[in-house]
Each structure stands twice: as C-alpha cells, then as structure tokens.
Amino acid sequence: MSEDIEADTSCCASCGIAEVDDIKLVPCDDCDLVKYCSEDCQKDHTSRHLLDCKKRAAELRDGLLFKQPESTHRGDCPICMLPLPLDTATYAMYTCCSKIVCTGCDFANEKREIEMRIVQTCPFCRKELPDTDEECDKQRMKRIEANDPVAIRFEGFEQCKKGNYIGALDYLTTAAELGDAEAHYKLSILYELGQGVEKDFGKEIYHLEEAAIGGDPEARYHLGAYEWNNKNNAERAVKHWIISATQGHDDSIKMLMKVFREGFVSKDDLAAALRAHQAAVNATKSPQREAAEEYCRN
C-alpha cells in the first residue's frame, strides 16, 4: 500500500479528524482505502469514494478468488492423513461423527473387524455402527444440533433428493454460513435452477466464488466456463482452470488442452498445470486405497 493511502487511513476521509485519544476510526465496509469517525461522515463521503471503493473492493475480491487453495474442499482423511480424492465413490461419511474417511482406511478397518470377529464400528470414533436408516438419521440430527456443517450439508442434500428444496435451502444456507464449500456449490445450483428459491444469477455466481475460494475445483471449473462463455474473458477463465487443474480436476485439464490448441494458454503454463495435476492425483493414492479398489472390482 502506498504512503499516500497509509496517510489517508490515519484520519477520517470525510472531516479529516485524526485517530487520537477517544476518536476511533472505522474502515470502509468494502475496501481498505479509507476510514471514518462516524456513520454521518461515511454517508457524506460516499459519492466521492464510491468509484475508488468499487475498484479496490474488486481487487481485494480477486486477490482472494485467485489465491491457490492449500487443498481441495475435501481435505485429508482423518486417519491416514492423505488428501481425499475428488471422486465421491472413494470415501464415506459416518453419521456418528461426520468424519469423511477414505475407502482405504474404511476397508482396512472392516477387514480387521472381520478377521477378529468383532462388532463393526466407525473407523474414526469407534462408535458402534447403526443397524437401520432411522438410527443413522438420529445420529445425523445430533450432529446437526451440534452445529456440524458436514451433517447440516448432508441433510440439505437429503432434502434435495426428496424434492424438498425449501428445506434444503435452509440447511445448505446454514452450512454455507459455517464455511462449508460444498454447501456453497449446491446453493449456486439451486439459485441457477430456481429450486426452492427464485432464480438469482448474482447469488449463483457469489456461491460459486465462495465454493471456489473454499477449495472446490468443480465450482472453480464452472466459474472458468462462465468467464469463457458469458464474458469472453479468456484470461480469467484460464486462471480458474489452471488452479482447479492443479487440484486434480480432470475436466479443467481437458479445457486447458482445448484452449491451448486455440492459442490461449502457453506451452509452459500447460506443462506446469499437467505436472501439478498429476502430482495432486498421485498424492491421493496409497497401497491401502488401491487394495480397497481391487477388492471392490472383484
């Protein structure tokens, strides 16, 4: 930040009063360029500050949006601590603790229980597994009462399957407010299709962006498609696809290869994305997971 802007934040942008003694300045709600001593000063200064504020707010948003996530929204398996694959068939969510466990650890636990002839339990919290769907529902509701975002999001998904989109909207909104990226992505779909709510393009894009910021590569892939198809902004589209490709997202790699042939991606950038994509995929592999896959195939 420049010295001029730093000087501006030391006094009220409207009346010029400095932040001393009992005078406390509050930053603008949307940007980091100015501060105000009161709501009246902020209102008086709005017309002069509006354009700079919008520009700076967009810059801050982009800085957040295009930051490479440390991992995908799936995170790591809580047992083997390896990244969870993007494929939903490669892990299981346990209603007792809402932990998402990879098939490798799930298979190893189940194999151990069969060999030792002991009761089946959750591989993470060791609670005995429920026998009926009703018991699963009770366990999930307990987690929901504990404000568990994973359980809340899962219930939102269940309501969607039942066609109760209004109920799903409530659950997913709550999970999203708790920071669940997958809930944000599902909300973007509801706002796109008008399920349980009126269609709202602005909210659709907002939830896609929040999901992408939270590490969801599928949401980021769709943001890239939006930039490419609706805004003709190849640069932003490519940025999105490079980030999601490095998270192991296959469709993003396919799009990068397509736009490379059209001259929108350099050879070096594509090569780097391919290497990062393969590294992300390899990081999700382990002998235990491969054994589980082999068992399922046979």
Side-chain angles (χ1 to χ4, degrees):
M1 189 175 293
S2 69
E3 291 183 1
D4 290 340
I5 294 177
E6 188 67 40
D8 286 341
T9 59
S10 67
C11 60
C12 177
S14 181
C15 69
I17 192 170
E19 186 172 29
V20 292
D21 298 332
D22 59 341
I23 304 297
K24 301 299 180 184
L25 301 181
V26 179
C28 172
D29 295 332
D30 299 314
C31 75
D32 58 0
L33 297 178
V34 294
K35 291 183 178 181
Y36 301 102
C37 65
S38 67
E39 291 184 5
D40 288 339
C41 277
Q42 185 169 5
K43 290 178 181 178
D44 291 341
H45 193 247
T46 297
S47 59
R48 287 173 285 166
H49 175 57
L50 188 59
L51 291 178
D52 289 340
C53 181
K54 285 185 176 180
K55 181 180 178 181
R56 180 58 179 161
E59 291 173 354
L60 291 172
R61 180 68 173 176
D62 275 1
L64 188 62
L65 181 59
F66 290 107
K67 181 180 179 181
Q68 180 73 46
E70 293 183 2
S71 65
T72 73
H73 62 305
R74 301 274 186 234
D76 299 337
C77 171
I79 299 176
C80 66
M81 301 305 293
L82 292 175
L84 287 165
L86 297 177
D87 184 359
T88 56
T90 58
Y91 57 82
M93 194 277 277
Y94 284 83
T95 55
C96 48
C97 57
S98 294
K99 295 299 182 184
I100 299 174
V101 178
C102 75
T103 51
C105 293
D106 194 32
F107 173 69
N109 181 61
E110 185 177 347
K111 182 180 179 182
R112 177 187 64 85
E113 291 169 341
I114 292 173
E115 291 174 351
M116 297 180 66
R117 297 181 181 181
I118 56 178
V119 66
Q120 288 189 317
T121 61
C122 168
F124 182 80
C125 70
R126 298 304 182 187
K127 187 177 180 65
E128 186 173 334
L129 296 183
D131 295 322
T132 65
D133 290 341
E134 289 75 13
E135 291 178 6
C136 285
D137 292 340
K138 287 181 180 179
Q139 286 185 340
R140 186 167 62 253
M141 292 310 297
K142 282 186 178 181
R143 296 305 307 162
I144 290 172
E145 291 170 5
N147 235 22
D148 186 318
V150 175
I152 296 170
R153 180 238 300 161
F154 189 87
E155 183 62 26
F157 285 3
E158 289 297 298
Q159 294 303 318
C160 281
K161 292 177 183 177
K162 296 176 183 178
N164 180 16
Y165 295 112
I166 294 177
L169 185 72
D170 288 339
Y171 282 111
L172 292 170
T173 299
T174 300
E177 289 172 350
L178 292 170
D180 190 275
E182 206 164 342
H184 275 295
Y185 178 55
K186 187 63 175 180
L187 282 171
S188 75
I189 297 174
L190 295 184
Y191 279 108
E192 177 192 11
L193 301 178
Q195 295 176 325
V197 68
E198 288 191 16
K199 291 183 179 181
D200 191 318
F201 181 71
K203 289 184 178 180
E204 174 195 345
I205 297 300
Y206 167 76
H207 285 294
L208 275 179
E209 289 183 348
E210 288 297 307
I213 291 169
D216 190 329
E218 183 72 15
R220 190 174 291 280
Y221 169 78
H222 287 293
L223 281 175
Y226 161 69
E227 294 288 354
W228 183 271
N229 296 323
N230 298 89
K231 301 187 73 174
N232 296 316
N233 196 326
E235 182 181 357
R236 289 174 67 87
V238 168
K239 279 184 179 180
H240 280 304
W241 290 329
I242 286 177
I243 292 174
S244 51
T246 60
Q247 294 177 287
H249 192 259
D250 293 338
D251 287 341
S252 295
I253 277 291
K254 293 176 184 177
M255 285 305 302
L256 286 174
M257 295 178 72
K258 176 180 180 295
V259 298
F260 165 72
R261 291 190 292 269
E262 298 173 8
F264 292 99
V265 182
S266 71
K267 184 178 180 180
D268 288 344
D269 285 344
L270 177 61
L274 284 167
R275 289 193 297 270
H277 173 270
Q278 191 59 54
V281 172
N282 290 342
T284 66
K285 296 180 179 181
S286 73
Q288 268 191 174
R289 293 179 182 182
E290 291 172 0
E293 290 176 13
E294 182 67 24
Y295 176 81
C296 290
R297 281 195 295 267
N298 297 331

